[in-house]
Amino acid sequence: MIDARSEVRLRQRLTLVALGKAPAERILRVGKLLDTATRTWSDNQEIVMSEGRIAYVGAAGSWPGTCDNIDERPDLMAIPGLGEVHKHIESSHLTPEWEAALVIPRGNTWTCEASHEFSNVRGSKTLDFWMTARKHGSPLKIFPLPGSAVPPTAYEHGGGWLGHDEQRDFLAGSLMVAGLDEVMDWPAVWNPENASHERLWGMIEATFAARGVVEGHAAGLKDLPTINAFAAAGLASDHEAWTAEEFWDKLTHGLFAELRPHSMPDVIKGLLERGLEDWSQIAFATDDRSASETLAKGATDYNVRLAIQSGLKAEIAIQCVTINPARHMRLTPWVGAIAPGRFADIVLLSDLESLKIAEVWADGEQVSKGEEYILPVPEIDWPDWARNTVQTGGIFSADDFAIRAEPGRDTMTAAVLRPFHWEDDFLTYELPVANGLVQRDAARNITKFAIVDRFSGKKSVSKMFWAGTGPKTSDCALASSLAHDKHNIWCVGSSDKAMAIAVNALGEIGGGWAMVRGNEVVATVRYEIAGLMSQRSAEDLDADMQMLYAEGEKIEWMYEPSSSPRWWAGFPERLAFATLTCAPWRWVLVAPSDYAPEGLVNVATGETHKVVW
């Protein structure tokens, strides 16, 4: 953590070291060094370090002080530690100390943690959680932004409630708290009648009062009146634009643009064709990336390489993960440049165009060689508030997932959604009734989907029918406690019994994934910390995920080519994102509440509806 008093004392010491009036702990000499402020290289530079910070940068041999430890790297070039402007560490599914071991060798030494996920599980413990690994010696700098969507909408509950006073206290608690995480509930921002309006504006007010940054989420907001309104509200950024045209419209109306890899090649090409020269209002955002994907692709370094391959100059691409996000997040006293006062976090490259990383230094010492993390990972005894978060209230049976028909009916009309259903209205189907229960219809790719409340302990389940996803094979189910953004348990299945077995398995392991085939649990992956993360190496977690995928290959999965994107074919992992309730979602299924007893609600209007009638 950084507090003002300790920061002043440290900088008093750095001042004396810079003048040569106090000794340094280490000097690192490099063949070339990039100044991110001017995008220029200097040859034969030395970086003088003390107490984990940089005290002096200049030509080799120019510092007037004394130091017993000098490391020479004449064949390597130095750039600052790479930063994440917007990332959910929870989406790596690793605890922060193991996240550090994964991403630091790949150049990522600091992260602006968008804490929608953990905050929705244990809102009051947001700062405690994100500061713990650093207190135990982890070199990854985490700058938390508490979640604005706690709860995501007024129609969801559990896991805590954050408003003005909570955000005020978070910001006062540490200089590392950078602001407010992505404001996603646009209807609650603009509409004074929305039930979340006062809570959300209270958090924005507290952030403004502390001069923090209010991050935005403008998915689907493309017309100019709405873009203007979004910027006028003080929402400073967007990471949801997909095209160069949308990026341009948002850039030219004052928004800081955070570019994600999936649209990077087309957006960079389009912005270059438009003649964009000043990229200072752009940063690269990883957002969500699993440990398995990071092992395969890389971390922030992957984003930089992709940008270079897409036609951007290497030095500009590096600015987009160093000085640009640091300026936007008002973190330039600590990160973004190899300059005095900043953390002594340095990435040493053997080749610029391929961004070949030879070493990474953090807090003034070498922490990786190649892709090998060479520090011990801190052993953290995570407390019960981080571990015991799946409180469903008991053992479930098939009956808990049944949808009952009205007496004497042969069919019932059902409200049906499909993943990423952004239309104004839900679909409707006539479904058969057997033994008093409304049935699935595998011939039309209609299955059962449920949300299990894991916070109240009331054995509370909402369920409805979904189209185009889930298992077609009989007596199969997939369940997970990863369900953006509220992170209740979701379950999709071809029988009610299989769904109950899968949910019960999640309760036993404390969260994660559970797959059932033939009414038997065939694979689990534990996320025992907050039901979102696991305290182990990326490699160990990936091994379990590969076993889950292998078992998934043995099941036939529903798929609607005519209406679903290609990535819905096969194992439906992205159902974890189909439970989102932010714009541009309308009709969604949430955990039951007094407001929406069956859980089907339009989050744009607040309208509720029966699931069958």
Side-chain angles (χ1 to χ4, degrees):
M1 293 181 67
I2 304 174
D3 65 84
R5 177 170 295 181
S6 61
E7 185 73 6
V8 164
R9 289 175 177 171
L10 186 152
R11 288 178 180 271
Q12 289 172 335
R13 165 75 180 178
L14 292 176
T15 302
L16 296 176
V17 175
L19 294 169
K21 298 181 181 297
E25 295 163 14
R26 187 172 295 276
I27 297 175
L28 175 62
R29 289 180 176 159
V30 298
K32 296 176 74 70
L33 184 148
L34 177 64
D35 173 53
T36 51
T38 60
R39 214 162 64 227
T40 57
W41 292 92
S42 298
D43 296 331
N44 302 318
Q45 296 290 293
E46 64 184 8
I47 306 163
V48 178
M49 297 174 279
S50 179
E51 298 189 36
R53 301 287 186 94
I54 298 170
Y56 179 95
V57 179
S62 65
W63 179 59
T66 60
C67 181
D68 293 333
N69 301 300
I70 300 177
D71 293 272
E72 304 278 357
R73 301 291 190 272
D75 298 326
L76 301 179
M77 57 192 78
I79 63 173
L82 310 182
E84 291 279 7
V85 71
H86 174 79
K87 184 179 182 182
H88 306 278
I89 290 175
E90 303 96 319
S91 291
S92 74
H93 312 304
L94 300 172
T95 49
E97 73 275 23
W98 286 103
E99 163 84 356
L102 173 63
V103 303
I104 281 182
R106 294 162 173 83
N108 177 197
T109 65
W110 61 277
T111 298
C112 290
E113 159 58 36
S115 188
H116 264 80
E117 296 9 294
F118 184 85
S119 290
N120 262 300
V121 175
R122 285 286 185 264
S124 64
K125 296 293 186 179
T126 296
L127 198 55
D128 298 304
F129 183 78
W130 295 116
M131 296 293 100
T132 294
R134 185 72 176 150
K135 289 178 180 178
H136 283 76
S138 174
L140 181 65
K141 287 78 185 173
I142 298 176
F143 297 95
L145 286 85
S148 64
V150 184
T153 65
Y155 318 112
E156 298 164 86
H157 59 89
W161 188 95
L162 300 183
H164 173 277
D165 292 356
E166 290 79 7
Q167 178 69 355
R168 176 200 62 202
D169 293 344
F170 286 140
L171 286 156
S174 172
L175 295 180
M176 295 190 78
V177 180
L180 182 63
D181 187 22
E182 51 180 319
V183 174
M184 306 170 71
D185 192 356
W186 175 241
V189 173
W190 72 263
N191 185 0
E193 297 180 0
N194 188 287
S196 291
H197 185 77
E198 184 175 350
R199 181 196 67 82
L200 194 49
W201 276 101
M203 295 194 82
I204 294 171
E205 178 185 340
T207 308
F208 284 163
R211 296 190 59 78
V213 179
V214 179
E215 288 285 272
H217 174 113
L221 308 184
K222 300 178 183 179
D223 63 285
L224 285 183
T226 304
I227 292 173
N228 276 273
F230 191 88
L235 311 184
S237 67
D238 180 43
H239 57 273
E240 291 289 339
W242 284 70
T243 66
E245 181 181 6
E246 186 180 354
F247 260 86
W248 189 264
D249 286 343
K250 290 175 177 178
L251 278 172
T252 56
H253 288 82
L255 296 180
F256 186 83
E258 298 168 355
L259 175 56
R260 296 181 296 185
H262 54 66
S263 53
M264 184 179 286
D266 290 342
V267 170
I268 287 179
K269 178 183 177 182
L271 294 180
L272 289 173
E273 288 175 350
R274 288 174 177 262
L276 181 65
E277 296 180 357
D278 184 355
W279 289 70
S280 61
Q281 279 292 99
I282 296 174
F284 304 150
T286 295
D287 203 356
D288 299 281
R289 187 177 298 159
S290 69
S292 297
E293 189 178 1
T294 301
L295 287 170
K297 291 181 176 179
T300 319
D301 58 326
Y302 168 76
N303 304 344
V304 177
R305 288 191 195 97
L306 183 59
I308 295 171
Q309 294 165 8
S310 302
L312 198 61
K313 290 182 179 180
E315 290 83 0
I316 296 176
I318 292 169
Q319 284 182 313
C320 289
V321 293
T322 55
I323 193 68
N324 292 4
R327 284 172 173 161
H328 170 66
M329 289 293 188
R330 303 170 189 171
L331 298 174
T332 51
W334 300 287
V335 293
I338 300 176
R342 281 68 172 180
F343 287 109
D345 293 355
I346 302 147
V347 177
L348 296 180
L349 305 176
S350 58
D351 182 74
L352 177 62
E353 291 301 315
S354 65
L355 207 80
K356 182 68 174 179
I357 298 174
E359 300 175 12
V360 175
W361 289 55
D363 297 324
E365 65 174 322
Q366 185 179 347
V367 297
S368 73
K369 184 176 183 179
E371 291 191 357
E372 179 187 2
Y373 186 69
I374 61 176
L375 293 185
V377 177
E379 295 184 7
I380 299 174
D381 183 14
W382 289 100
D384 286 348
W385 54 256
R387 289 185 175 275
N388 297 329
T389 65
V390 177
Q391 305 292 334
T392 58
I395 303 299
F396 292 87
S397 67
D399 189 61
D400 293 307
F401 297 90
I403 296 179
R404 302 195 177 281
E406 294 176 359
R409 295 281 294 270
D410 294 324
T411 66
M412 294 283 288
T413 304
V416 177
L417 297 176
R418 61 164 64 94
F420 294 79
H421 185 88
W422 295 334
E423 285 79 10
D424 289 335
D425 295 313
F426 47 74
L427 307 173
T428 57
Y429 286 80
E430 284 295 314
L431 295 179
V433 173
N435 300 317
L437 303 179
V438 188
Q439 302 295 305
R440 299 163 175 81
D441 190 343
R444 289 188 286 174
N445 282 345
I446 298 175
T447 190
K448 186 80 67 68
F449 186 85
I451 300 291
V452 178
D453 179 352
R454 68 148 157 146
F455 300 110
S456 69
K458 296 179 179 179
K459 280 192 68 180
S460 181
V461 183
S462 59
K463 56 264 185 179
M464 66 179 296
F465 294 97
W466 274 43
T469 191
K472 182 169 285 189
T473 306
S474 300
D475 296 321
C476 293
L478 179 68
S480 179
S481 57
L482 175 70
H484 294 273
D485 270 313
K486 189 64 252 171
H487 298 292
N488 282 300
I489 291 171
W490 61 265
C491 185
V492 63
S494 55
S495 78
D496 295 347
K497 182 177 180 180
M499 293 175 77
I501 293 169
V503 171
N504 289 334
L506 282 186
E508 291 175 6
I509 64 174
W513 292 89
M515 184 181 293
V516 170
R517 188 178 70 252
N519 288 331
E520 297 288 339
V521 178
V522 295
T524 59
V525 181
R526 58 179 170 84
Y527 294 163
E528 74 279 9
I529 304 299
L532 303 171
M533 295 162 276
S534 192
Q535 191 178 14
R536 50 180 160 156
S537 71
E539 291 79 8
D540 286 350
L541 176 58
D542 177 60
D544 276 2
M545 289 301 300
Q546 297 310 318
M547 291 178 65
L548 182 76
Y549 297 145
E551 290 297 332
E553 291 290 327
K554 301 173 184 178
I555 293 173
E556 181 183 0
W557 299 96
M558 295 179 177
Y559 174 52
E560 284 188 314
S562 62
S563 60
S564 301
R566 285 299 312 172
W567 38 256
W568 276 110
F571 181 72
E573 185 172 5
R574 285 186 65 89
L575 277 173
F577 292 91
T579 51
L580 282 163
T581 54
C582 56
W585 269 261
R586 278 87 157 181
W587 286 99
V588 299
L589 186 68
V590 299
S593 67
D594 291 341
Y595 184 87
E598 295 186 59
L600 182 59
V601 61
N602 186 320
V603 290
T605 66
E607 182 184 357
T608 63
H609 204 282
K610 288 181 173 294
V611 297
V612 293
W613 62 96

